Amino acid sequence: MGFWQKLKKLYMGDVFGSAISEADEAFFEDLEEMLILADVGMTTAAEAVEKLRKRMIEDKIAGQEPVKAALREILAEALTMEGQELDLSTRPSVVLVIGVNGVGKTTSIGKLAARLRKRGKRVLLCAGDTFRAAAADQLEIWAGRAGCEIVRQHEGADPGAVLFDALQAAKARNVDVVICDTAGRLHNKANLMAELAKLRKIIDREAPEAALETLLVLDATTGQNGLIQAKQFKETAGCTGIVLTKLDGTAKGGIVIAIAQELGVPVKFVGLGEGIDDLQPFDAKEYVNAII
C-alpha cells in the first residue's frame, strides 16, 4: 500500500452517493455538515462550500466526479502556501521540535533525521528533553537507526546547556542540520513556554546566521483540541511548520485544512504509520485525492 493510500477517507455519508445534476441547496448543506464533522472547521467548511457553489453555477459543473474534482481543487488551494519545504539553507541549520506530551515528537525526529540522512545530510540530534525519564535513551536509539550523531547529558540537566553543546559540536564537526528535541509541554504552563524562549535565545546567540525551523508536532486524532494547542504554541513559540502524526488513525483528517487555514502555518510533514519511512512531506494534491 502506498503512503497516501493509508489515509482514511473523510466520512461524507451519502453526500456523493448519487450523481449531482444541479446546485441543489440540500446537497450544499449536507456537504458543509460533513466537512465540519470531519474537523475541517466551520469557517473553512462554509467558505469551501460557497466556492464550490459558485463554480458549479458559473462553470455548469454537474455529475458526481466533476463535482468531487472541483471540491478537491478548492481544498488543495486552501492548503497550498509558501514555506512548505524545510529551510535548510545554512550549515548548520537548526530544527527545534516542540509539542505536548505523547504526540510523537521523538519518533518524528528520528524519522526526519533518517529522511535527511538519505539526502546526504550530516545530522546531529540534541537530546533537549531532559525532563522525561529515558527520553535521551529513546532519542539515542533513533539516532542509531537513522545513522546520525547525538549530543546528550544526564537526566535533569539544563536543556539550554545541552543545546549549547550541540551547537558547538555542530560547528566543530561541520554538521548540516541540528534537530533539537524538547520536553513535552502543556500549552498552559508559562514556565515551560519560557524555557522554549530561552532555547531560541541560545540559538540566536550561538548560531545567529542559522536557518531556524520551529516544528510543532500535533496528534491528528485529537482533532480540534490539537488546533487549540497549535494556536497557543504559535503565539508563544512562533512555529514555522506543523508535523501531523497519526493521520492514518483518524477519519477526521480535515484537521489538516483547519490548521493551515486558521493558523496560516504550513503542514510540512505528516505521519501515516510507525515505520522509519512513514513520515513524508505534505502534498496538498495527494492529500485531497486520498480523503475525497
Side-chain angles (χ1 to χ4, degrees):
M1 183 184 291
F3 179 79
W4 289 100
Q5 280 65 50
K6 297 178 184 178
L7 190 56
K8 294 182 180 179
K9 294 188 181 295
L10 298 184
Y11 174 67
M12 289 294 181
D14 295 321
V15 173
F16 291 114
S18 58
I20 301 155
S21 59
E22 59 183 13
D24 177 69
E25 192 61 36
F27 162 72
F28 293 122
E29 290 178 2
D30 288 345
L31 176 59
E32 183 172 340
E33 181 181 350
M34 291 302 107
L35 289 173
I36 291 169
L37 289 174
D39 270 345
V40 169
M42 293 183 66
T43 301
T44 305
E47 289 176 353
V49 169
E50 187 56 32
K51 287 180 180 178
L52 180 63
R53 182 202 306 270
K54 287 182 179 178
R55 288 195 190 181
M56 287 176 65
I57 294 171
E58 293 172 3
D59 300 337
K60 296 181 172 58
I61 298 171
Q64 184 176 347
E65 289 308 316
V67 172
K68 278 187 181 181
L71 179 60
R72 290 188 190 109
E73 189 175 309
I74 288 165
L75 295 180
E77 288 170 358
L79 284 164
T80 303
M81 60 183 66
E82 292 183 4
Q84 203 80 52
E85 295 187 6
L86 280 182
D87 180 3
L88 304 176
S89 57
T90 64
R91 180 181 291 172
S93 297
V94 181
V95 180
L96 195 61
V97 183
I98 63 177
V100 300
N101 291 303
V103 293
K105 286 191 308 300
T106 306
T107 53
S108 294
I109 288 170
K111 293 173 184 179
L112 178 58
R115 182 174 187 83
L116 294 176
R117 287 284 294 128
K118 287 181 179 179
R119 289 172 50 189
K121 299 285 188 183
R122 186 170 184 178
V123 180
L124 182 140
L125 303 186
C126 171
D129 183 356
T130 60
F131 179 75
R132 181 170 64 88
D137 293 339
Q138 183 186 6
L139 194 66
E140 189 156 16
I141 291 170
W142 275 104
R145 290 177 185 169
C148 59
E149 303 162 70
I150 184 170
V151 169
R152 59 174 294 182
Q153 290 188 18
H154 58 85
E155 190 176 317
D158 176 14
V162 185
L163 178 56
F164 175 86
D165 288 350
L167 293 174
Q168 296 305 311
K171 288 184 276 189
R173 302 175 196 174
N174 209 25
V175 164
D176 293 301
V177 186
V178 177
I179 307 177
C180 183
D181 193 10
T182 63
R185 284 165 169 75
L186 293 173
H187 49 276
N188 58 355
K189 297 291 185 180
N191 58 327
L192 295 178
M193 287 300 197
E195 189 176 291
L196 279 178
K198 177 183 174 183
L199 295 179
R200 291 178 66 92
K201 286 181 181 177
I202 291 169
I203 295 168
D204 291 341
R205 187 182 70 227
E206 300 302 323
E209 304 301 321
L212 172 61
E213 291 273 3
T214 304
L215 299 182
L216 173 62
V217 181
L218 294 174
D219 179 340
T221 64
T222 61
Q224 292 295 311
N225 284 334
L227 182 59
I228 293 168
Q229 290 173 19
K231 286 178 179 177
Q232 294 175 321
F233 269 105
K234 183 190 177 187
E235 290 172 4
T236 305
C239 58
T240 59
I242 303 292
V243 178
L244 201 61
T245 63
K246 309 175 191 177
L247 195 55
D248 56 324
T250 177
K252 295 191 173 186
I255 192 64
V256 179
I257 301 166
I259 288 168
Q261 282 291 287
E262 296 194 33
L263 295 182
V265 176
V267 176
K268 297 201 175 191
F269 293 93
V270 292
L272 291 173
E274 298 299 321
I276 198 166
D277 294 322
D278 286 333
L279 183 77
Q280 296 283 332
F282 180 69
D283 184 307
K285 288 185 178 178
E286 291 276 8
Y287 166 78
V288 295
N289 285 340
I291 64 171
I292 297 176

